[in-house]
Amino acid sequence: MKVDIVTIFPEIARGPLEASIMSRAQASGALELNYHDLRDFSENKHRQVDDEPYGGGPGMVLKPEPFFRAVAKLRTERTRVLLMTPQGIPYHQRHAERLAQDEHLIILCGHYEGVDHRVVEALVDEEISIGDYVLTNGTVAAAVVVDSIVRLLPGVLGDDQSSVEESFAGDGKLIEGPQYTRPLEYEGRKVPDILLSGHHAKIADWRHDQAVERTKVNRPDLYEK
Ligand code: ADE
């Protein structure tokens, strides 16, 4: 998969996406990731990419021209264009699963008070929000979305099962139950005996019950569904 991130802060995206599993995904060829500085697409000699909002109001709006020029340069017939914005559709694991099938994504990152709406109308296939809170810019959100997609690409996670049996995968109804590792006892708290029993069917039942309990407490919204 190829991903092009267009942002005024490429270094913000690089931080989380050039370490650990994301770095290995690129080394293995599963992912080709490119960062583009929106200012490189400015027509202005000061590399200006924002301006005051028509109709007044606080903050600055990102101008349309640099986005149009960036997308014109990067797009192919098989490209999906995403815009990271708090006004977008709430992002979910099922979106990651669908986007992981794509060949090429261009991810546009918003900033300031927003992006000129002609960008949304003419260029953007999907507006995405990673949650009901406002970040200083969409680049952090783009890194979240890229990470969630890339870990689903074939061969990126060592154990293929680890992205199948996790919270929100598949029908997405339950979150995962608790996990334990060594030591067996820590600060007076013991690992539940059932996990040491070697009885796989009983362990699976116990895990399911725990997942149900945890979903009830932490995600009553999911449990009700
Ligand atoms: N930009 C600022 N806040 C955001 C959010 N919650 N999701 C996506 N992009 C954003």
Side-chain angles (χ1 to χ4, degrees):
M1 162 179 266
K2 181 175 171 184
V3 178
D4 287 297
I5 299 179
V6 180
T7 167
I8 52 173
F9 294 120
E11 69 277 17
I12 291 182
R14 268 198 193 97
L17 297 177
E18 295 300 325
S20 182
I21 294 172
M22 295 301 116
S23 157
R24 265 190 281 137
Q26 290 171 80
S28 75
L31 171 68
E32 179 191 334
L33 181 54
N34 305 302
Y35 308 90
H36 306 276
D37 188 337
L38 185 66
R39 293 186 193 282
D40 291 343
F41 297 95
S42 168
E43 287 161 317
N44 184 296
K45 71 167 186 277
H46 304 294
R47 292 164 56 82
Q48 187 185 350
V49 289
D50 59 354
D51 209 334
E52 293 159 359
Y54 275 117
M60 300 287 269
V61 175
L62 288 172
K63 292 163 66 57
E65 306 94 315
F67 284 112
F68 274 73
R69 294 174 78 194
V71 171
K73 180 177 170 207
L74 301 170
R75 151 172 273 162
T76 69
E77 316 85 79
R78 277 203 267 269
T79 299
R80 192 190 304 273
V81 180
L82 310 179
L83 173 69
M84 304 314 304
T85 164
Q87 286 87 40
I89 292 168
Y91 190 65
H92 189 275
Q93 185 68 21
R94 68 176 174 274
H95 298 117
E97 285 163 8
R98 174 170 55 79
L99 295 171
Q101 313 297 317
D102 281 353
E103 242 171 66
H104 181 212
L105 299 174
I106 297 176
I107 307 184
L108 307 178
C109 302
H111 190 53
Y112 302 106
E113 295 306 307
V115 172
D116 187 287
H117 199 64
R118 287 163 290 194
V119 171
V120 177
E121 288 172 348
L123 303 180
V124 170
D125 298 308
E126 296 177 30
E127 296 176 87
I128 294 180
S129 165
I130 62 162
D132 289 345
Y133 40 79
V134 181
L135 304 165
T136 55
N137 72 86
T139 312
V140 171
V144 168
V145 164
V146 171
D147 183 298
S148 68
I149 293 169
V150 170
R151 62 187 291 285
L152 300 177
L153 298 177
V156 168
L157 291 187
D159 179 357
D160 278 345
Q161 275 308 98
S162 53
S163 66
V164 174
E165 283 183 4
E166 66 197 354
S167 303
F168 311 117
D171 63 7
K173 285 203 184 75
L174 293 177
I175 57 173
E176 272 181 281
Q179 300 277 12
Y180 296 87
T181 186
R182 276 182 271 271
L184 191 53
E185 189 172 336
Y186 186 68
E187 300 213 332
R189 292 167 193 274
K190 246 198 110 226
V191 173
D193 288 335
I194 180 78
L195 296 176
L196 314 173
S197 68
H199 199 302
H200 297 298
K202 281 193 183 150
I203 291 173
D205 284 349
W206 180 86
R207 285 193 165 139
H208 178 78
D209 294 346
Q210 292 287 317
V212 170
E213 282 313 305
R214 218 183 197 192
T215 305
K216 272 190 205 166
V217 173
N218 288 357
R219 294 297 304 273
D221 56 316
L222 289 182
Y223 186 72
E224 264 138 43
K225 282 192 212 153

